Amino acid sequence: MAGTAPFDRPYVGRFAPSPTGELHFGSMVAAVGSYLRAREMGGAWRVRIEDLDPPREIAGAAERQLQTLARFGLLPDGPVERQSLLQSRYQRALHGLLQRGLAFRCSCTRKDLPTDGVYPGTCRKNAASGRPARSIRFRVDDAELEFDDAVQGPQRQNPAQQCGDFVIRRTDGLIAYQLAVVVDDGSAGVTEVVRGADLVDSTARQILLQRALGLPRTAYAHLPLIVDAHGRKLSKSEGDDPIERLPTPAALRLVLRALGHEPPGGLRTLDALWAWAEKNWNLEQVPAGPVSIGVQGPDHDDYT
Ligand code: GLU
């Protein structure tokens, strides 16, 4: 049962936004869902800023994201980590994988790669073959991997068919998300990853990296994807987003609704909503999704 999922170590959950913009409705669903799950399990809830990709970063976004979390009353247990300050961790992991032959240098350029996105193994055996190495890839075998997602149900993925040997250090020298997320979750002792369903397809790759790095396997719960009234992934266009548009308690009520929880109408303050949510939270009620944000929210005036 979700509430009694066996964890053989103290529960640690986390929320890990990339500072590429404001926290939009979908991100707040992940923040609130991961937070309530950590509270349910009597564990810690950590926040990590995934600022490993300077070209995609928006100046000041990380600070504004933390302010938004605080405005909702979401305060992390322990200090906020920033991936940009953790480079030596990733270098150690890379080095180890290369030394053990689990990763290899790849000299392919974009032109060498097929359009279906599945790496054909070109540099697997014969690394640089006279050409300069560009990226580093993690070697994957052609095998199906199964895991049980606490919200999405049983999953099967075969990374060899999804993407082939995948990049863990990019051509521009930056550490790839897949490696950083696994190293950091491992080092923070994360027991369960609760995040948006847009990342479910990355999970098998991350489990393979956990194994290769000798890290304990985490559990997974992927929260519903939030779509607009037309079923499209929510755009980041400002003004539309309830997180910006509504008073905070009204926005929190909508987030809880997207997570399958409907607080009684009389609850109008953040404190009252959180008290109700912590008491009534049940992961089994969370829909697999997608969830449309088109459902009319509470009236703005109810909350001012
Ligand atoms: N940084 C990723 C994002 O903002 C989330 C990573 C994760 O939760 O694993 O989409």
Side-chain angles (χ1 to χ4, degrees), residues 25-106:
F25 191 78
S27 336
M28 285 310 293
V29 166
V32 169
S34 59
Y35 172 84
L36 286 170
R37 175 66 166 162
R39 289 290 167 266
E40 172 196 350
M41 303 304 290
W45 182 71
R46 304 207 182 285
V47 171
R48 178 173 70 237
I49 300 291
E50 302 213 316
D51 54 353
L52 264 191
D53 193 349
R56 291 189 58 226
E57 195 169 332
I58 305 262
E63 274 54 48
R64 290 198 298 280
Q65 291 182 334
L66 294 172
Q67 283 162 12
T68 303
L69 292 177
R71 170 160 69 84
F72 276 78
L74 286 169
L75 300 175
D77 299 312
V80 172
E81 278 198 325
R82 285 172 194 264
Q83 289 188 323
S84 54
L85 304 178
L86 303 171
Q87 289 295 336
S88 53
R89 253 186 210 177
Y90 312 130
Q91 297 305 336
R92 264 201 309 277
L94 266 181
H95 187 71
L97 293 172
L98 280 170
Q99 264 198 334
R100 291 158 58 217
L102 299 174
F104 60 90
R105 294 181 197 280
C106 172

Side-chain angles (χ1 to χ4, degrees), residues 14 16-18 50 177 181 193 195 198-199 206:
R14 52 48 156 204
S18 306
E50 302 213 316
Y177 156 72
V181 79
V193 171
R195 61 185 175 192
D198 52 332
L199 289 165
Q206 295 174 9

Side-chain angles (χ1 to χ4, degrees), residues 20-300:
T20 52
E22 308 305 313
L23 286 185
H24 54 89
F25 191 78
S27 336
M28 285 310 293
V29 166
V32 169
S34 59
Y35 172 84
L36 286 170
R37 175 66 166 162
R39 289 290 167 266
E40 172 196 350
M41 303 304 290
W45 182 71
R46 304 207 182 285
V47 171
R48 178 173 70 237
I49 300 291
E50 302 213 316
D51 54 353
L52 264 191
D53 193 349
R56 291 189 58 226
E57 195 169 332
I58 305 262
E63 274 54 48
R64 290 198 298 280
Q65 291 182 334
L66 294 172
Q67 283 162 12
T68 303
L69 292 177
R71 170 160 69 84
F72 276 78
L74 286 169
L75 300 175
D77 299 312
V80 172
E81 278 198 325
R82 285 172 194 264
Q83 289 188 323
S84 54
L85 304 178
L86 303 171
Q87 289 295 336
S88 53
R89 253 186 210 177
Y90 312 130
Q91 297 305 336
R92 264 201 309 277
L94 266 181
H95 187 71
L97 293 172
L98 280 170
Q99 264 198 334
R100 291 158 58 217
L102 299 174
F104 60 90
R105 294 181 197 280
C106 172
S107 50
C108 291
T109 64
R110 204 177 282 263
K111 276 208 314 269
D112 300 321
L113 300 173
T115 47
D116 66 0
V118 180
Y119 181 72
T122 321
C123 298
R124 248 187 176 215
K125 294 217 175 68
N126 193 11
S129 64
R131 297 195 299 168
R134 297 166 59 84
S135 60
I136 297 179
R137 289 178 183 271
F138 181 73
R139 193 185 285 274
V140 299
D141 294 330
D142 189 2
E144 204 148 69
L145 196 144
E146 293 180 19
F147 63 95
D148 229 335
D149 188 290
V151 174
Q152 305 295 325
Q155 305 289 314
R156 282 163 165 257
Q157 295 173 7
N158 183 345
Q161 282 165 24
Q162 283 178 308
C163 55
D165 305 324
F166 59 90
V167 172
I168 51 176
R169 198 190 69 192
R170 299 173 5 179
T171 310
D172 56 12
L174 297 175
I175 300 295
Y177 156 72
Q178 306 289 356
L179 179 67
V181 79
V182 168
V183 169
D184 290 338
D185 283 344
S187 129
V190 168
T191 44
E192 185 178 46
V193 171
V194 179
R195 61 185 175 192
D198 52 332
L199 289 165
V200 75
D201 288 346
S202 291
T203 304
R205 272 172 268 175
Q206 295 174 9
I207 293 172
L208 291 179
L209 280 172
Q210 279 167 11
R211 277 188 199 156
L213 293 167
L215 295 168
R217 181 149 163 182
T218 49
Y220 289 91
H222 285 89
L223 303 172
L225 196 68
I226 306 299
V227 295
D228 66 15
H230 308 286
R232 288 185 294 248
K233 199 179 165 199
L234 221 55
S235 75
K236 286 196 181 171
S237 67
E238 264 177 52
D240 278 2
D241 196 314
I243 303 303
E244 303 291 323
R245 180 168 52 85
L246 291 178
T248 312
L252 176 58
R253 174 181 288 278
L254 278 192
V255 169
L256 291 169
R257 179 179 293 167
L259 287 164
H261 291 69
E262 188 69 57
L267 306 181
R268 298 271 162 85
T269 64
L270 272 187
D271 282 353
L273 288 163
W274 279 124
W276 181 90
E278 290 191 21
K279 195 150 162 254
N280 291 280
W281 174 254
N282 179 2
L283 195 64
E284 287 176 15
Q285 257 170 256
V286 177
V291 166
S292 166
I293 200 192
V295 280
Q296 267 316 299
D299 200 345
H300 191 281

